[in-house]
Amino acid sequence: MRLVLDHLTVRRGPCPVLHDISLTLAEGEFVGLLGPNGAGKTTLLRAALGLLPAGGHSSIAALPPAARARAAAFLPQGREIAWPMPVETLVALGRPGRRPEDTAAVARAIDRLGLAPLRPRRATELSGGEQARVLLARALAQEAPLLLADEPTAGLDPEQQLAVMTLFAGLAAEGGTVLASLHDLGLAARHCTRLIVLDTGRIVADGAPRAVLTEALLAGTFGIRAHLSEGPEGLIFQPLGRVAR
Amino acid sequence: MRLPYPALLAALGLAGALLFLASLLVGPAAIGLSDSLAALIHGQGEAVTLVMREVRLPRAILGAAIGAALGLSGALLQGLLRNPLAEPGLIGTSSSAALGAVLAIQTGVSAAFALALPLAALAGALASVAVLLLLSGPRGSTLTLILAGIGISSLATATTALILNLSPNPFAANEIIFWMMGSLADRSMLHVQLALPFLGLGALLAIPAARSLDALTLGEDAAASIGVNLRRLRLLTVLAAALMVGAATAVAGAVGFVGLVVPHLLRRACDARPSRLLAASALGGAAVVLAADVAVRLIAPDRDLKLGVLTALVGAPFFLHLILRTRQEGL
């Protein structure tokens, strides 16, 4: 399923925090949403999902709530688990029905993230990384064609970060559409099929990783210089130092 | 040991039923088991029938209904606020109901007709819900809701204190203090008829909120993304809790700690699922209030020990114990 945003604008008080965002994400794309802190990444994801009032149009936010839940899954930035639910119950929140296909979707999500051994444990008693996997499984259990994830790799160890990126690339390869906000430009450069860079609420670059991560953009938007090279497993990004903006 | 959910509900229901029976059988009029039940059902023997039907039956019904309402409201509010420390008094309904009752006692309106006092309390409760919803507004966040509730609650408590402070009539002040302690003594079928519709309506409103409360475990954004209408959920939950707590306080005064402790106690047995905790807390709350109301009659048969005093006296140390356990095991 495609995600179409048309002139999406969000204001906080008088100042716009998201200016006139128009973009289309197609099936099979794994899009990295990049930008420094405060660039509007979270706001863009939330506005696209209809979680905050916005001007313009989002193809997902326009749907009625039940259809929206079938079309798009969302992994918020704050990893909240309010109650000590067993892992399996928590994952099933993404798919609350009792039909066989619902239970099967929950089982697939648990398998996909290797959570089978943790199934009966209380989610609140797990480590931060395990909780992140449980919450991701909850979002996957929706088996929605679109997945929007807000900083899915934050706070994870390198192996888990790679696992998440590989998983998302796999979802896209299966025909899904993934939009993930990321801070790790190296992971984004290597795994995403497309990068969108936000700066102060505007899109400043959009395209293939090699085309987007230019010296000028890295210096102007992120205030860094970096070494980019083409390795056998894809684009390699190595930050070198800060530059004066 | 872990009970499956239906077995847990059955056990709580059975405990409630036995305590309901106990509540019918305990009282100053010494009536045998078979005599009392025969009088209740067939109406043999004038005085006994009167005691059973007009004194003990309404008391037992109110104990079960108010206990269920307090347990359910506590579970609802803890689920909505995602906080195990939330309790029904948080949204200000109970203190506003108390203010209504206190005004009725102080002005002498309460003596005008039988239901004047509970009606005034109910009016106080409903007014507080209106103010709460007005203050937090249709777009209000959960935080605004709590803060508005705390504000209303403080204002109602302060006004009650002012009335007590300036009361020229020591008898009225005395009556107010005793009323605020919470009791089910000397309640009639009229009280049952006044409270039950509100308690029932509140419980009905809780049903469509159950599933959404489960999703809210993941936070508001995630819940909304799975299709939860947060505005509707807040409105349903707050109205349900306010109706039940308002009606309960109106007929029984303040019965504390039930709404806080009962959901806390049953949470793990319900796999921490807010939806399952609702029914379990209603049944558990009924059992606890019935047990407490039997206890006040057994502990001090001729001293009129107040129900609210007992629930707080037992509930508070128990709550401290729960906090200690929470510290060791997590929620």
Coordinates of all heavy atoms in Angstrom, one line a residue, chain B residues 245-280:
Chain B
V245 N -19.3 6.3 41.5 CA -18.7 6.8 42.7 C -19.7 7.8 43.3 O -19.9 7.9 44.5 CB -17.4 7.5 42.5 CG1 -16.9 8.1 43.8 CG2 -16.4 6.4 42.0
G246 N -20.3 8.7 42.5 CA -21.3 9.6 43.0 C -22.5 9.0 43.6 O -22.8 9.3 44.8
A247 N -23.0 8.0 43.0 CA -24.2 7.3 43.6 C -23.8 6.5 44.8 O -24.5 6.5 45.8 CB -24.8 6.3 42.6
A248 N -22.6 5.9 44.8 CA -22.2 5.1 46.0 C -21.9 6.1 47.2 O -22.4 5.8 48.3 CB -20.9 4.4 45.7
T249 N -21.3 7.2 46.9 CA -21.0 8.1 48.0 C -22.4 8.7 48.5 O -22.6 9.0 49.7 CB -20.1 9.3 47.6 OG1 -19.0 8.7 46.9 CG2 -19.6 10.1 48.7
A250 N -23.3 9.0 47.6 CA -24.6 9.6 48.0 C -25.3 8.7 49.0 O -25.9 9.2 49.9 CB -25.4 9.8 46.7
V251 N -25.3 7.4 48.8 CA -26.1 6.6 49.7 C -25.3 6.0 50.9 O -25.8 5.7 51.9 CB -26.8 5.4 49.0 CG1 -27.9 5.9 48.1 CG2 -25.8 4.5 48.3
A252 N -23.9 6.0 50.7 CA -23.2 5.3 51.8 C -22.1 6.2 52.4 O -21.4 5.8 53.3 CB -22.5 4.0 51.3
G253 N -21.9 7.4 51.9 CA -20.8 8.2 52.4 C -19.5 7.8 51.8 O -19.5 7.0 50.8
A254 N -18.4 8.2 52.4 CA -17.1 7.8 51.9 C -16.6 6.5 52.3 O -16.4 6.3 53.5 CB -16.1 8.9 52.2
V255 N -16.5 5.5 51.4 CA -15.9 4.2 51.7 C -14.6 4.1 51.0 O -14.6 3.9 49.8 CB -16.9 3.1 51.3 CG1 -16.3 1.7 51.7 CG2 -18.2 3.3 52.0
G256 N -13.5 4.4 51.7 CA -12.2 4.5 51.1 C -11.5 3.2 50.9 O -11.9 2.1 51.4
F257 N -10.5 3.3 50.0 CA -9.5 2.2 49.8 C -9.9 1.0 49.0 O -9.1 0.3 48.5 CB -8.8 1.7 51.1 CG -7.7 2.6 51.6 CD1 -7.9 3.6 52.5 CD2 -6.5 2.4 51.0 CE1 -6.8 4.5 52.8 CE2 -5.4 3.2 51.3 CZ -5.6 4.2 52.2
V258 N -11.3 0.8 48.9 CA -11.7 -0.4 48.2 C -11.3 -0.2 46.7 O -10.8 -1.1 46.1 CB -13.3 -0.5 48.3 CG1 -13.8 -1.7 47.4 CG2 -13.6 -0.7 49.8
G259 N -11.6 1.0 46.1 CA -11.3 1.2 44.7 C -9.8 1.2 44.4 O -9.4 1.0 43.3
L260 N -9.0 1.5 45.4 CA -7.6 1.5 45.2 C -7.0 0.1 45.4 O -6.2 -0.3 44.5 CB -7.0 2.5 46.2 CG -5.4 2.6 46.2 CD1 -4.9 3.1 44.9 CD2 -5.0 3.5 47.4
V261 N -7.4 -0.6 46.4 CA -6.7 -1.8 46.8 C -7.2 -3.0 46.0 O -6.4 -3.8 45.5 CB -6.9 -2.1 48.3 CG1 -6.4 -3.5 48.7 CG2 -6.2 -1.0 49.1
V262 N -8.5 -3.1 45.7 CA -9.0 -4.3 45.1 C -8.4 -4.5 43.7 O -8.0 -5.6 43.4 CB -10.6 -4.3 45.0 CG1 -11.2 -5.3 44.1 CG2 -11.1 -4.4 46.5
P263 N -8.4 -3.5 42.8 CA -7.8 -3.8 41.5 C -6.3 -4.1 41.6 O -5.8 -5.0 40.9 CB -7.9 -2.4 40.7 CG -9.0 -1.7 41.4 CD -8.9 -2.1 42.9
H264 N -5.6 -3.5 42.5 CA -4.2 -3.7 42.8 C -4.0 -5.2 43.1 O -3.1 -5.9 42.7 CB -3.8 -2.8 43.9 CG -2.3 -2.5 43.9 ND1 -1.8 -1.7 42.9 CD2 -1.3 -2.8 44.7 CE1 -0.5 -1.5 43.1 NE2 -0.2 -2.2 44.2
L265 N -4.9 -5.7 44.0 CA -4.8 -7.1 44.5 C -5.0 -8.1 43.4 O -4.4 -9.2 43.4 CB -5.8 -7.2 45.6 CG -5.9 -8.4 46.5 CD1 -4.6 -8.5 47.3 CD2 -7.0 -8.4 47.4
L266 N -5.9 -7.8 42.5 CA -6.3 -8.8 41.5 C -5.6 -8.7 40.2 O -5.8 -9.5 39.3 CB -7.9 -8.6 41.2 CG -8.7 -9.0 42.4 CD1 -10.2 -8.6 42.1 CD2 -8.7 -10.5 42.7
R267 N -4.7 -7.6 40.1 CA -4.1 -7.3 38.8 C -3.4 -8.5 38.2 O -3.6 -8.9 37.0 CB -3.2 -6.1 38.9 CG -2.5 -5.8 37.5 CD -2.0 -4.4 37.5 NE -3.1 -3.5 37.4 CZ -3.4 -2.6 38.3 NH1 -2.7 -2.4 39.4 NH2 -4.5 -1.8 38.2
R268 N -2.5 -9.1 38.9 CA -1.7 -10.2 38.4 C -2.5 -11.4 38.1 O -2.2 -12.1 37.1 CB -0.6 -10.6 39.4 CG 0.6 -9.6 39.3 CD 1.8 -10.0 40.1 NE 2.8 -9.1 39.7 CZ 3.9 -9.5 39.0 NH1 4.1 -10.8 38.7 NH2 4.8 -8.7 38.6
A269 N -3.5 -11.7 38.9 CA -4.4 -12.8 38.6 C -5.2 -12.6 37.3 O -5.6 -13.6 36.7 CB -5.4 -13.0 39.7
C270 N -5.2 -11.4 36.8 CA -5.9 -11.1 35.5 C -4.9 -10.9 34.4 O -5.2 -10.3 33.4 CB -6.8 -9.8 35.6 SG -8.1 -10.0 36.8
D271 N -3.7 -11.4 34.6 CA -2.6 -11.2 33.6 C -2.4 -9.7 33.3 O -2.0 -9.3 32.2 CB -3.0 -11.9 32.3 CG -2.4 -13.3 32.3 OD1 -1.6 -13.6 33.1 OD2 -2.8 -14.1 31.4
A272 N -2.7 -8.9 34.3 CA -2.5 -7.4 34.1 C -3.3 -6.8 32.9 O -3.0 -5.8 32.5 CB -1.1 -7.0 34.0
R273 N -4.3 -7.5 32.5 CA -5.1 -7.0 31.4 C -6.2 -6.1 31.9 O -7.1 -6.6 32.6 CB -5.8 -8.1 30.6 CG -4.7 -8.8 29.7 CD -5.3 -10.0 29.0 NE -6.3 -9.7 28.0 CZ -6.7 -10.6 27.2 NH1 -6.3 -11.8 27.3 NH2 -7.6 -10.3 26.3
P274 N -6.2 -4.8 31.7 CA -7.2 -3.9 32.2 C -8.7 -4.4 31.9 O -9.5 -4.2 32.8 CB -6.9 -2.6 31.5 CG -5.5 -2.6 31.2 CD -5.2 -4.1 30.9
S275 N -8.9 -5.0 30.8 CA -10.3 -5.4 30.5 C -10.8 -6.5 31.4 O -11.9 -6.5 31.9 CB -10.4 -5.9 29.0 OG -9.6 -7.0 28.8
R276 N -9.9 -7.4 31.7 CA -10.3 -8.5 32.6 C -10.4 -8.0 34.0 O -11.1 -8.6 34.8 CB -9.2 -9.6 32.5 CG -9.2 -10.3 31.2 CD -8.4 -11.6 31.2 NE -8.8 -12.4 30.1 CZ -8.3 -13.6 29.9 NH1 -7.4 -14.1 30.8 NH2 -8.6 -14.3 28.9
L277 N -9.6 -7.0 34.4 CA -9.5 -6.5 35.7 C -10.9 -5.9 36.1 O -11.3 -5.8 37.3 CB -8.4 -5.5 35.9 CG -8.0 -5.0 37.3 CD1 -7.7 -6.2 38.1 CD2 -6.9 -4.1 37.2
L278 N -11.6 -5.4 35.1 CA -12.9 -4.7 35.4 C -13.9 -5.6 36.1 O -14.3 -5.3 37.2 CB -13.5 -4.1 34.1 CG -12.7 -3.1 33.3 CD1 -13.5 -2.6 32.1 CD2 -12.3 -1.9 34.2
A279 N -14.2 -6.7 35.5 CA -15.2 -7.6 36.1 C -14.7 -8.2 37.4 O -15.4 -8.3 38.4 CB -15.5 -8.8 35.1
A280 N -13.4 -8.6 37.4 CA -12.8 -9.2 38.6 C -12.9 -8.1 39.8 O -13.2 -8.5 40.9 CB -11.4 -9.6 38.3

